[in-house]
Amino acid sequence: MDYKDTLLLPKTDFPMRGNLPQNEPKIYEKWQKDCAAYHKMRSLRATNTHNPQKTFTLHDGPPYANGNLHIGHALNKILKDIVIKTHFFNGDSVRYTPGWDCHGLPIEQQVEKSLGKDAQGKAKKDTLPKSKIRELCRAHAAKYLAIQADEFKQMGVLGDFENPYKTMDFAFEANIYRTLCEVAKKGLLATRSKPIFWSWAARSALAEAEVEYKDKEDYSIFVGFSLTQESKQKLTLESNKEIKAVIWTTTPWTLLSNQAIALNPNEIYVITEEGYLLAKPLLDSLIDKGITKGEILKEVYAKELEYCEAINPLNERKSVILLGEHVLMEGGSGLVHTAPGHGEDDYFLWLKYADEAKMAKYNPTQILMPVNDKGCYDESVCELLPSSVANDFVGLHIFKANEKILELLGENLISCSKFVHSYPHCWRTHEPVIYRATKQWFILMDKPFLDGKSLREVALKAIDETRFYPASGRNRINAMIENRPDWCISRQRDWGVPIAFFIDKESGEPLLDEDVLESIAKIFEKEGCDAWWDKEIEELLPSSYKSQAHKYEKCEHILDVWFDSGSTWNAVLKSGIYDAGEYPSDMYLEGSDQHRGWFQSSLLLSCALQGRAPYKAVLTHGFTMDANGQKMSKSKGNVVLPQEVLKQYGSEILRLWVALSDYQNDQKISNDILKQVSEQYKKIRNTIRFLMANVSDLDCLAKESDLGQIDRFILSRAFSAFSQARAHFKEYNFISAMQILSYFISNELSGIYLDLCKDSLYCDKKNGKERVAHQSVMAVILSHLCHLLAPVLTYTIEEALSFAPKILGVGGEFGVFEIAPLESYKEIASDRENVDFILLLELRNKFNETLDSLKKDGVVKSGLELCVVGDFGDFKESAKWLIVSEEGKKLGEKISTIEIEGKIYAIHKSGECKCERCWRYMASSSGGLCERCEKIAGK
């Protein structure tokens, strides 16, 4: 007889195969239409009676609206989505407004590239008015903003995409400008003509955060500057012997801008037989280089050399000897070529001496800097070189001038070689940068402004009050703030927010009148900051100042794009324009490179205006690498595109990859890695499916007193795993949380409980006490699993819940967002009945090993042919635990034994017959049914 129809087999329409690439977009489209799912999340928590005051704001670090998304974007946005949903499913009221950085050089460069060149080879961009260039930049940003938003949505990311923030929106530009005005009012803004990092390739100043270091080959030269007769007399040296101060430099092109030679004030210098002035501590190394034989004619203290003069061999200009602590005895000659227009240390040393009376004849207010914004010598170079060669240098790129300079030095070039060293490069163009003195705007780090504290001090205190994930992030940003120079916020490009100040033509001071500043801000709100260039000064001034328009000129600089993004906390969280959450934000979450970027610029502007950090916590992630830990590049062919991952695997696999990654370090991704993640996904999906299929006919949960010992065991293990996982989720340690859940699913739930429950689930009567107990346990575990996995696998849980039985209490259009774990049995403990499950687990493992051997030897085909006899103490479910038959009226032969902790367990063949319905060997006759099955199925 076929008893199949009498079995209660699992039933569910939740499919085993996800077909994610085909099915996800349908759900995502429903979620994203008018931000329906995000609004549902907000409305569900708007009247949160459980914890009405608890809110969570994640302020979005704006990705750059310039190109399709890469895998790093996917990692970042999916992490943010998991964090937001973790807080939502824990009962918090969440806010997440996505945003975009729309200004800046990369967009401008793309527009310039698309415009190309005219027939004469001149860039077409140079022939267009600024307003047209800005129009094209705005269109370029808008195009990729829409593309990126759509790609983020395809990853299951939820947020207020209906009303995102865009730094190029008119109101946003006005708020960026207002932030600048507030900084100025605090007295923290200053203009200086000082050397800063200059990208000649981008034709703009660079902040420290925009500089990367790469190897570069340079000259290493020692050059002799002859001391003047007056200086030799001062040092009581022979007037007819030529004495040369030997300087060392790696930038020959800056020699024509030399204004001084720097010595260490605490060192002794020597004059050698060759007539070279050198630092005594470096004499041995200079002997090794063949520069001197080391025979000393005279020793002299550095202080005696102060204000002595030497002659620059390139142009016969006098170079004054000054003393500076920055001169080190680690290499070179101990005499540092000093060009204040091309070096920060040089500049500050020159500034230090500027007010000294003895410096008056050197015109200390003049700083030589004959290099234009393209990195080429300008017309002023003619005053710094002999007329016979000067014209050859006009328009020559400085890096192409080194050889010509070396040739001009002639016999004064004492030594010349090449070497490779770490050198600053522009992180946008990847070309080497230069130090170049220009007039720029700075935010001052060390000027007292808040209760006698400087911006640096306020920022360092704010860092101490911020939580960092990982904790090492605190030390990283702390060191950067401690050592950073003043923030250069001005740039010399077209696409950005202007430093919209009127400069008094007579005094050179900016006009910071409140009415003027607010007048400009209001114009920006209505027309955008293009108005700064499109309108005349009189049109921009309020009525009270219009008559004075002739006194002023416009500042032509734009703001560093880091200022834009650094002020988003003000424009988004404090403006009232967006429903974006509260200031300060609960969290900023970006890549670890943003310690020098957005985290830092946001911190400085918030500390300047509010005296505190704009965030309570900072979470960082690493970079994405290929399977071998190599950086991805098109040339290597190892790039993994998120768009391709979605097409092949679906977004859930990408999201699970993120959750399973140690994201605080660099992560590897490849097709093989994604295949492994897919297998883990299948295990999770099929576990959910199995649980759902087996509780499909459950009407109500069993009483706790009806639960068996094994039910209590698995609940205890489940609640322990869930508790640990939740704790890790709350600390954003997703990999540990997922590992705990994965272990529980594979080894305890599927590996033990679900396997041993099948007999009862399939063969007991529908409302049998034992069966309902198992189903109830499964329903509770299922509800907790779905709730825990929902932040990561939101789509999968939504799909599963659309097939869920009523017992889970989920319904409606957005079921996943309404899920709550069933609260039953939470206080249950596996040791309530004094059962040693550690021993039982060891017994189970050893029994399974023995069973495998018996099967291989052909002794048995199934464990159900066996019975196990021994001391199980108070444990009443040993047959179920081992998936063997219960002892019947008689035992068969003893075929093996197991010893555990001194206890002997005998393995017998069952003395009964195989039940044709449940296959246990508990039937009294061949071809018959066991007692249980006979009651249910009859004969």
Side-chain angles (χ1 to χ4, degrees):
M1 181 176 175
D2 186 357
Y3 292 101
K4 183 178 179 181
D5 291 342
T6 71
L7 300 176
L8 299 171
L9 297 177
K11 291 181 182 179
T12 181
D13 291 326
F14 180 45
M16 183 180 296
R17 292 178 58 84
N19 292 323
L20 300 175
Q22 293 75 38
N23 294 333
E24 285 172 342
K26 302 168 191 172
I27 296 294
Y28 290 164
E29 185 178 357
K30 181 180 79 169
W31 284 357
Q32 300 293 355
K33 187 178 181 182
D34 302 323
C35 290
Y38 178 70
H39 290 320
K40 179 71 173 178
M41 289 170 67
R42 289 198 302 193
S43 64
L44 283 170
R45 296 290 182 260
T47 54
N48 182 3
T49 54
H50 175 66
N51 198 350
Q53 302 304 316
K54 190 132 174 45
T55 62
F56 181 81
T57 298
L58 196 158
H59 181 46
D60 196 25
Y64 206 66
N66 187 35
N68 291 81
L69 299 179
H70 54 68
I71 201 70
H73 287 122
L75 169 67
N76 178 265
K77 271 296 195 288
I78 289 171
L79 263 179
K80 288 174 180 173
D81 192 60
I82 294 173
V83 167
I84 282 288
K85 287 174 181 171
T86 295
H87 280 273
F88 169 78
F89 285 108
N90 280 329
D92 296 349
S93 178
V94 296
R95 291 295 183 273
Y96 175 64
T97 297
W100 274 270
D101 219 339
C102 305
H103 296 122
L105 179 62
I107 290 172
E108 193 173 337
Q109 284 179 324
Q110 287 298 314
V111 168
E112 185 172 354
K113 184 178 177 182
S114 65
L115 287 170
K117 298 180 179 180
D118 60 21
Q120 288 73 43
K122 187 178 181 181
K124 289 182 181 178
K125 174 179 175 288
D126 295 339
T127 66
L128 295 175
K130 192 182 288 275
S131 58
K132 182 61 179 177
I133 295 166
R134 290 177 62 84
E135 177 189 327
L136 293 171
C137 289
R138 191 176 293 277
H140 181 92
K143 171 187 172 182
Y144 282 103
L145 191 154
I147 289 171
Q148 289 186 4
D150 186 57
E151 290 176 339
F152 283 137
K153 293 174 187 177
Q154 290 171 26
M155 297 173 192
V157 174
L158 299 182
D160 195 359
F161 284 97
E162 221 176 12
N163 188 32
Y165 76 80
K166 296 168 278 186
T167 59
M168 66 180 181
D169 283 348
F170 292 172
F172 208 107
E173 290 180 334
N175 279 321
I176 293 171
Y177 175 66
R178 285 191 173 102
T179 301
L180 173 68
C181 295
E182 290 303 312
V183 173
K185 291 174 192 175
K186 298 282 186 181
L188 293 177
L189 212 56
T191 55
R192 293 195 203 121
S193 183
K194 73 178 283 282
I196 54 166
F197 284 123
W198 182 270
S199 173
W200 52 267
R203 282 183 257 169
S204 183
L206 296 179
E208 191 83 27
E210 296 172 301
V211 172
E212 60 185 11
Y213 286 82
K214 297 192 293 186
D215 284 349
K216 180 178 182 292
E217 185 179 62
D218 271 320
Y219 284 100
S220 170
I221 64 171
F222 291 85
V223 180
F225 279 49
S226 297
L227 291 184
T228 62
Q229 289 293 342
E230 294 82 1
S231 296
K232 287 193 288 185
Q233 289 172 9
K234 177 183 174 183
L235 297 170
T236 65
L237 299 172
E238 292 182 36
S239 61
N240 61 347
K241 183 175 178 65
E242 186 171 29
I243 306 298
K244 291 185 177 182
V246 180
I247 64 93
W248 174 74
T249 184
T250 61
T251 54
W253 62 269
T254 65
L255 280 172
L256 46 81
S257 301
N258 175 277
Q259 292 182 262
I261 297 171
L263 277 58
N264 187 300
N266 306 309
E267 297 294 344
I268 295 174
Y269 286 77
V270 298
I271 296 170
T272 69
E273 176 65 33
E274 298 89 350
Y276 294 158
L277 176 63
L278 304 164
K280 186 177 181 181
L282 291 167
L283 202 56
D284 287 343
S285 69
L286 294 167
I287 293 171
D288 292 341
K289 289 181 172 66
I291 290 171
T292 177
K293 292 180 180 178
E295 189 173 339
I296 299 172
L297 296 183
K298 183 180 178 67
E299 291 188 1
V300 58
Y301 289 104
K303 187 65 178 174
E304 298 176 66
L305 292 161
E306 190 176 26
Y307 293 113
C308 285
E309 296 173 333
I311 304 299
N312 186 337
L314 288 176
N315 51 28
E316 301 299 314
R317 291 175 62 94
K318 288 183 178 179
S319 184
V320 61
I321 293 178
L322 305 176
L323 305 181
E325 298 282 352
H326 68 285
V327 180
L328 304 176
M329 297 295 117
E330 296 174 357
S333 63
L335 292 86
V336 175
H337 149 59
T338 299
H342 293 296
E344 193 168 47
D345 287 333
D346 301 16
Y347 171 79
F348 284 117
L349 180 64
W350 191 253
L351 206 64
K352 174 185 172 184
Y353 275 89
D355 294 332
E356 299 291 331
K358 291 182 180 180
M359 289 292 290
K361 64 178 180 177
Y362 302 109
N363 191 11
T365 59
Q366 180 190 32
I367 292 178
L368 302 178
M369 206 290 298
V371 180
N372 65 22
D373 59 2
K374 296 179 182 179
C376 300
Y377 290 115
D378 60 25
E379 296 287 343
S380 67
V381 77
C382 294
E383 299 175 12
L384 301 176
L385 286 170
S387 58
S388 59
V389 297
N391 287 331
D392 295 339
F393 283 80
V394 177
L396 181 67
H397 195 280
I398 48 103
F399 289 153
K400 293 180 180 179
N402 285 328
E403 287 74 16
K404 288 180 177 288
I405 297 288
L406 298 179
E407 187 179 340
L408 288 175
L409 288 171
E411 64 180 12
N412 294 293
L413 181 58
I414 296 169
S415 175
C416 177
S417 61
K418 283 191 171 183
F419 75 118
V420 174
H421 64 144
S422 181
Y423 188 88
H425 286 65
C426 172
W427 79 337
R428 298 290 190 195
T429 66
H430 306 296
E431 294 288 351
V433 303
I434 59 175
Y435 262 109
R436 177 174 178 265
T438 57
K439 189 171 184 180
Q440 302 291 343
W441 293 80
F442 295 87
I443 292 179
L444 305 176
M445 292 296 297
D446 296 307
K447 179 182 178 182
F449 80 106
L450 183 64
D451 299 328
K453 292 185 175 64
S454 68
L455 182 55
R456 191 186 311 277
E457 291 170 319
V458 175
L460 290 171
K461 182 175 183 293
I463 291 170
D464 285 340
E465 296 168 350
T466 301
R467 187 164 185 185
F468 288 85
Y469 302 89
S472 59
R474 181 191 313 279
N475 295 334
R476 187 173 182 187
I477 193 170
N478 200 81
M480 291 176 176
I481 293 294
E482 280 182 336
N483 298 308
R484 72 160 295 145
D486 292 338
W487 179 9
C488 176
I489 61 167
S490 49
R491 298 292 182 268
Q492 293 68 47
R493 300 294 294 186
D494 294 328
W495 180 228
V497 175
I499 298 179
F501 294 143
F502 293 115
I503 308 300
D504 189 303
K505 293 177 182 178
E506 206 170 290
S507 67
E509 293 297 315
L511 177 60
L512 299 178
D513 181 87
E514 180 74 38
D515 291 341
V516 173
L517 301 180
E518 187 55 26
S519 172
I520 295 168
K522 285 180 177 176
I523 291 171
F524 287 0
E525 271 183 351
K526 293 178 182 177
E527 305 175 41
C529 62
D530 290 3
W532 183 248
W533 292 278
D534 295 342
K535 291 180 179 292
E536 298 297 326
I537 291 176
E538 188 175 350
E539 296 176 87
L540 293 163
L541 284 167
S543 55
S544 57
Y545 273 89
K546 288 187 184 297
S547 62
Q548 303 176 46
H550 63 284
K551 295 182 179 180
Y552 300 101
E553 60 187 4
K554 294 178 184 177
C555 172
E556 293 296 329
H557 298 276
I558 65 168
L559 279 167
D560 169 17
V561 74
W562 289 111
F563 191 101
D564 283 25
S565 58
S567 63
T568 55
W569 58 268
N570 199 17
V572 177
L573 300 180
K574 290 183 71 68
S575 67
I577 297 173
Y578 308 89
D579 182 13
E582 301 175 353
Y583 171 89
S585 171
D586 290 283
M587 178 175 285
Y588 275 30
L589 190 167
E590 299 300 328
S592 56
D593 59 331
Q594 295 307 318
H595 286 112
R596 69 171 184 167
W598 188 55
F599 297 151
Q600 194 172 147
S601 62
S602 301
L603 173 71
L604 293 177
L605 291 178
S606 182
C607 286
L609 271 59
Q610 300 292 322
R612 62 150 300 143
Y615 37 68
K616 298 175 185 175
V618 168
L619 187 149
T620 54
H621 59 79
F623 298 97
T624 49
M625 305 292 181
D626 70 8
N628 298 315
Q630 299 294 312
K631 187 176 180 181
M632 293 184 190
S633 70
K634 290 181 181 178
S635 61
K636 290 181 181 177
N638 63 347
V639 174
V640 177
L641 295 173
Q643 299 83 0
E644 294 302 317
V645 175
L646 297 189
K647 286 179 185 176
Q648 185 175 353
Y649 294 99
S651 69
E652 291 289 76
I653 305 306
L654 196 56
R655 294 176 66 90
L656 186 56
W657 167 75
V658 172
L660 292 172
S661 296
D662 181 12
Y663 66 81
Q664 292 182 351
N665 296 302
D666 293 342
Q667 299 89 57
K668 296 178 181 179
I669 187 169
S670 67
N671 196 48
D672 286 342
I673 290 171
L674 290 168
K675 284 180 181 177
Q676 294 169 18
V677 174
S678 294
E679 291 304 313
Q680 289 172 285
Y681 172 79
K682 288 175 186 175
K683 181 67 177 175
I684 293 170
R685 183 182 181 93
N686 288 333
T687 300
I688 292 172
R689 183 175 182 272
F690 184 89
L691 290 169
M692 197 167 291
N694 280 287
V695 300
S696 59
D697 62 352
L698 179 65
D699 298 320
C700 60
L701 296 180
K703 294 183 292 184
E704 185 176 323
S705 59
D706 287 343
L707 300 185
Q709 292 170 309
I710 296 175
D711 296 324
R712 296 174 183 276
F713 159 77
I714 198 63
L715 280 171
S716 177
R717 291 300 176 103
F719 288 137
S720 175
F722 298 157
S723 176
Q724 292 176 59
R726 282 195 177 92
H728 284 303
F729 269 117
K730 287 180 180 179
E731 287 297 306
Y732 315 112
N733 185 0
F734 304 126
I735 183 173
S736 293
M738 294 303 294
Q739 285 172 342
I740 287 168
L741 292 178
S742 180
Y743 179 86
F744 169 71
I745 288 171
S746 297
N747 294 281
E748 296 175 329
L749 184 61
S750 298
I752 299 176
Y753 187 70
L754 299 185
D755 196 28
L756 59 81
C757 284
K758 288 176 183 175
D759 174 74
S760 176
L761 291 169
Y762 302 168
C763 301
D764 283 359
K765 64 181 179 180
K766 180 179 182 296
N767 295 319
K769 180 178 174 182
E770 191 174 334
R771 182 175 187 270
V772 171
H774 292 336
Q775 286 182 299
S776 299
V777 168
M778 289 183 184
V780 170
I781 289 175
L782 175 61
S783 74
H784 281 268
L785 268 181
C786 287
H787 187 263
L788 278 164
L789 291 169
V792 179
L793 301 176
T794 320
Y795 162 80
T796 300
I797 304 305
E798 170 80 350
E799 183 193 2
L801 292 177
S802 67
F803 301 103
K806 291 181 181 178
I807 194 69
L808 292 186
V810 178
E813 191 179 6
F814 301 98
V816 65
F817 302 109
E818 299 178 22
I819 188 173
L822 296 174
E823 295 297 323
S824 302
Y825 317 138
K826 289 195 74 172
E827 301 303 319
I828 208 156
S830 63
D831 61 354
R832 188 169 293 178
E833 302 201 24
N834 197 29
V835 175
D836 186 354
F837 274 99
I838 294 176
L839 182 144
L840 288 172
L841 285 168
E842 188 178 352
L843 173 63
R844 193 173 192 276
N845 290 335
K846 286 196 174 183
F847 172 76
N848 286 334
E849 289 173 8
T850 303
L851 178 60
D852 286 342
S853 296
L854 293 172
K855 286 179 179 179
K856 285 177 184 177
D857 294 341
V859 178
V860 296
K861 293 181 180 179
S862 165
L864 292 174
E865 297 176 40
L866 305 174
C867 296
V868 179
V869 179
D871 180 10
F872 291 95
D874 293 335
F875 188 53
K876 309 299 182 187
E877 299 175 326
S878 59
K880 180 186 286 288
W881 180 252
L882 298 173
I883 315 180
V884 296
S885 294
E886 295 176 19
E887 295 178 49
K889 296 175 182 176
K890 56 182 178 179
L891 283 174
E893 66 174 307
K894 179 179 174 183
I895 57 175
S896 187
T897 59
I898 298 172
E899 182 176 353
I900 304 285
E901 295 183 6
K903 294 182 178 181
I904 304 296
Y905 296 90
I907 300 175
H908 292 258
K909 277 199 168 185
S910 174
E912 306 292 341
C913 298
K914 180 180 178 181
C915 173
E916 292 300 312
R917 181 171 180 267
C918 70
W919 298 358
R920 294 182 305 167
Y921 280 68
M922 295 178 66
S924 57
S925 60
S926 179
L929 301 179
C930 66
E931 186 176 346
R932 174 195 59 181
C933 290
E934 191 168 317
K935 288 180 181 178
I936 296 171
K939 287 188 178 179

